[in-house]
Amino acid sequence: MVSLTIIGFVRHGVTAWNKEGRVQGNSDVPLDEEGIEMAKRVADRLSNERWDVIYTSHLIRAKKTAEIIAEKMPDVELVEDARLREFSGGLIEGTTEEERLEKWGKDWNEQDMGFEPHESIISRGLESLMDIKNKHAGKRVLVVSHGGLIKRLLDELITDTKYETHLDNTSLTIVKLQDDKNLCELFNCTAHLKNKVES
C-alpha cells in the first residue's frame, strides 16, 4: 500500500518589508496589519478543512501566521521548527534593489554576499519534511514557512515541473508525499483572499 502524507505549505502574511521590496531572510520582521488580516483569511479557509498538525518556522512573521491559523483549530497541535526558517540573505538583508545597486553596483548578485548555501537550505528543509512524514505518516500537515524555502523545497520534491511563479503571501500549496512519486495538487492558491474581498 502506498503511504500518503499531505503537506499544505502556507507562506506567511505580508510585512512592511515585503511591501518595500526589502530582503527579509532571517531578519525577524513582524506582520503588518494587512498581514494579520491575510492570516485570518487563510485561517478561515483552512478551518473548514481537516488538518492534523501545524508546523511553523520560528521567525515571527511565519509563527504569528501559524498562531492565527491555530486559533481556528483549537484541537490541532502547533509545533515550531527552526529548520523551516527562510534562508539567510547575508549582507543584503534589509536592503532594496535600488540600495544594493547603489552600494555594490549592478553585479552585486555575483559577489559573495554571505547567502546561506543552497545545499544547506535544502538539507535542513528536507530533513524537517522527512521527520514530519515519518512522525505523521498518512496525516494532513500544515507547514507555515517562507517563499524562498517553499519554492526550493518544491523543486526538490516535484522534479518533473519547475515552479517559476513567485509565491504570494498566505498562498496555499498542497503536496502529496508518496513513496513512489510526489504530486503537487495545488500551487500558490490565494482564493481565500479574493473571495473575502468580493463578498
Side-chain angles (χ1 to χ4, degrees):
M1 185 176 168
V2 176
S3 168
L4 176 63
T5 304
I6 305 289
I7 303 289
F9 289 106
V10 178
R11 187 186 173 203
H12 60 80
V14 77
T15 70
W17 277 21
N18 283 146
K19 293 174 179 175
E20 294 166 11
R22 296 186 184 280
V23 173
Q24 295 185 118
N26 284 337
S27 298
D28 219 1
V29 185
L31 299 179
D32 65 10
E33 285 185 24
E34 184 183 357
I36 289 171
E37 178 59 30
M38 293 169 79
K40 288 177 180 175
R41 292 182 188 182
V42 76
D44 285 340
R45 171 186 183 164
L46 295 170
S47 66
N48 293 317
E49 304 170 5
R50 180 181 71 79
W51 295 97
D52 298 298
V53 62
I54 305 168
Y55 278 76
T56 182
S57 154
H58 71 293
L59 294 174
I60 191 66
R61 58 191 184 274
K63 187 177 176 184
K64 181 64 176 177
T65 302
E67 288 170 349
I68 290 170
I69 293 168
E71 285 171 12
K72 290 279 187 175
M73 304 179 188
D75 299 326
V76 176
E77 182 185 11
L78 176 60
V79 182
E80 197 175 309
D81 186 341
R83 293 174 296 180
L84 295 171
R85 68 188 179 277
E86 185 61 290
F87 60 86
S88 170
L91 297 175
I92 73 167
E93 287 193 12
T95 67
T96 64
E97 176 69 12
E98 186 180 14
E99 289 166 349
R100 292 190 287 278
L101 289 170
E102 188 178 321
K103 189 167 186 179
W104 294 294
K106 64 181 188 310
D107 65 343
W108 66 264
N109 56 353
E110 295 169 21
Q111 300 172 42
D112 181 7
M113 292 294 173
F115 295 166
E116 179 179 359
H118 179 75
E119 298 73 24
S120 166
I121 301 164
I122 296 304
S123 173
R124 63 175 167 83
L126 287 181
E127 181 183 70
S128 175
L129 287 185
M130 290 309 105
D131 285 351
I132 288 170
K133 184 181 178 184
N134 291 334
K135 189 173 181 181
H136 306 285
K139 300 292 187 182
R140 291 171 57 86
V141 182
L142 284 174
V143 172
V144 184
S145 187
H146 308 266
L149 180 68
I150 296 171
K151 283 288 290 293
R152 281 162 176 73
L153 290 178
L154 277 178
D155 285 339
E156 295 294 318
L157 296 169
I158 315 293
T159 53
D160 57 359
T161 306
K162 266 289 191 200
Y163 294 95
E164 304 290 353
T165 310
H166 171 81
L167 284 175
D168 296 316
N169 291 99
T170 71
S171 62
L172 176 63
T173 297
I174 296 179
V175 174
K176 291 181 175 179
L177 296 182
Q178 301 178 137
D179 292 336
D180 51 352
K181 184 181 181 183
N182 301 320
L183 297 172
C184 184
E185 192 176 61
L186 185 69
F187 176 70
N188 196 35
C189 181
T190 54
H192 48 280
L193 300 180
K194 299 181 184 78
N195 292 345
K196 196 82 173 188
V197 169
E198 290 164 8
S199 61

